[in-house]
DNA sequence: GACGCCGTACCAACCGGTCGGTAATGCTTT
DNA sequence: AAAGCATTACCGACCGGTTGGTACGGCGTC
């Protein structure tokens, strides 16, 4: 934490390069030399900062967690007074982000987890922590919304928070498989509709 | 079509071995020698049946399509007279399948698409075809259910059919990332609840 | 002058793919 | 049906290039 302001450290440059490359080509297919080239350093620097490639994978997942949690913690949707409005605001933000190049809006840890869940437990755990922690940031508002608007519905706040992530991750897979970004955005619309139905919000048609 | 009944051909053995290995370790991390060893043949046989590794990837996705479409086409949920019952029957089946080892119930083409969407367009397209074709098998029933029970709701049958796949794929990612299979099953419960709400089925609490 | 930081040079293992050769399986012709 | 021939199916050694990782040396700074 408390990163030096402007001159990005070599470690940070390597981490940022790793994020971009892994998001585009996946963990196994990216080489450390590729990352070094993108960061503008050599392998000597790489292996000074990371014990091995797996170590970088864990650090990349942690770096991703830090970056994204900063982004969503300071996002605009928190201004809403009502918990449900904050939830829907979050969903709307996620929907807006689905545009442009696939590698620019898809999720690093979702991509990595699929690849390494069996071969690299340390990376898998880092990915799991990242997703779970992000979902947990929605839990309190989910809890409040359930209590206020769907008290008889037997869904837990935790499960519902995770569901938002499941739909979003699934949307990314569809976007990658079909090559159609609009298809992914549709999926988030369904997620919004589900939440609106569950919390009995009039949707207008 | 019309495959020889019992003695599995070498090509089929290679394809089955590829499915198992790629589902466990991903496309990039599996070597052709690994696949050969699992199939009990040598590299000579492999490169006799496939031009290169990418060609195998495409063939594996197609083989996956054929296998899974057979499975779901002959599944029990088709016995229901009502389209919505068939849809919910499908979802219930998908939920039942989520158990045991991750590599045994997760989706090959979802896994591959994430990895190769940029580096191997031919494999990506095969994965896209597989998912889209599977979703399309649900479209007619979705269409009928929408017409009968939610005519004023502006969702398309195609989009809703794809949503089932998005949730299921997302559930697989969560299962891999958290290591918890029950979490994945929960996500399919949410999918079922969404469909029930959308089509105004009383759920009992 | 010791230590953090990073570049250069290098290595051993591995991986996709090739190639020459062989066994088996038809297909033809007599 | 036997012989002759062509094609397919498969083996396994080999090759060129790549990859993760190491050894070491230089350079700046406190």
């Amino acid at each position: 934490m408390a990163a030096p302001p402007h001159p990005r450290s070599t470690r940070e440059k390597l981490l940022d390069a790793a994020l971009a490359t892994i998001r585009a080509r996946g963990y196994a297919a990216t080489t450390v030399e590729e990352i070094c080239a993108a960061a503008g350093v050599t392998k000597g620097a790489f292996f000074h900062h990371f014990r091995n490639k797996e170590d970088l994978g864990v650090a990349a997942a942690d770096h991703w967690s830090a970056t994204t949690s900063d982004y969503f913690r300071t996002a605009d949707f928190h201004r809403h007074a009502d918990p449900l409005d904050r939830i829907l605001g979050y969903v709307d933000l996620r929907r807006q982000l689905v545009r442009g190049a696939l590698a620019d809006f898809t999720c690093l840890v979702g991509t990595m987890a699929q690849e390494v869940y069996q071969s690299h437990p340390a990376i898998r755990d880092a990915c799991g922590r990242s997703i779970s922690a992000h979902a947990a940031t929605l839990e309190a508002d989910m809890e409040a919304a359930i209590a206020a608007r769907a008290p008889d519905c037997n869904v837990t706040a935790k499960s519902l928070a995770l569901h938002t992530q499941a739909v979003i991750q699934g949307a990314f897979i569809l976007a990658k498989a079909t090559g159609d970004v609009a298809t992914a955005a549709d999926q988030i619309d369904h997620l919004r509709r589900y939440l609106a139905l569950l919390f009995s919000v009039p949707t207008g048609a």
Side-chain angles (χ1 to χ4, degrees), chain A:
Chain A
M1 344 294 173
H6 245 166
R8 247 157 76 253
S9 71
T10 298
R11 186 189 159 88
E12 271 177 329
K13 280 194 279 189
L14 283 166
L15 248 12
D16 289 339
L19 292 201
T21 315
I22 296 176
R23 286 216 275 176
R25 277 186 275 284
Y27 172 80
T30 67
T31 71
V32 321
E33 277 180 303
E34 233 174 336
I35 296 171
C36 292
V41 297
T42 61
K43 286 216 285 190
F46 182 95
F47 284 101
H48 174 74
H49 289 285
F50 306 102
R51 281 199 314 276
N52 48 38
K53 192 186 174 186
E54 186 179 36
D55 189 31
L56 166 84
V58 174
D62 289 342
H63 187 230
W64 174 259
S65 274
T67 304
T68 55
S69 76
D70 275 3
Y71 179 83
F72 286 107
R73 187 160 27 79
T74 62
D76 197 41
F77 64 84
H78 288 105
R79 76 180 186 282
H80 294 296
D82 188 76
L84 178 57
D85 288 337
R86 285 197 293 270
I87 293 170
L88 295 178
Y90 167 80
V91 173
D92 290 339
L93 173 56
R94 294 307 303 254
R95 203 220 121 108
Q96 283 173 30
L97 293 176
V98 176
R99 40 189 279 272
L102 282 167
D104 290 336
F105 68 79
T106 54
C107 176
L108 173 85
V109 293
T111 303
M112 276 207 294
Q114 282 253 50
E115 275 192 78
V116 305
Y117 76 100
Q118 203 160 89
S119 33
H120 296 278
I123 300 179
R124 182 214 336 123
D125 290 343
C127 294
R129 282 196 306 272
S130 178
I131 295 179
S132 298
H134 182 64
T137 65
L138 304 169
E139 248 183 78
D141 285 341
M142 288 289 184
E143 192 76 62
I146 291 172
R149 298 167 172 270
D152 298 333
C153 182
N154 59 345
V155 298
T156 67
K158 181 178 179 180
S159 167
L160 199 49
L162 282 170
H163 186 60
T164 63
Q165 304 309 301
V167 173
I168 289 166
Q169 296 287 347
F172 292 159
I173 290 192
L174 288 192
K176 288 176 178 174
T178 66
D180 183 19
V181 175
T183 297
D186 273 358
Q187 302 314 314
I188 303 187
D189 287 340
H190 283 293
L191 171 62
R192 196 188 203 284
R193 196 175 292 110
Y194 174 47
L195 294 171
L197 285 168
L198 196 61
F199 295 129
S200 307
V201 181
T203 54

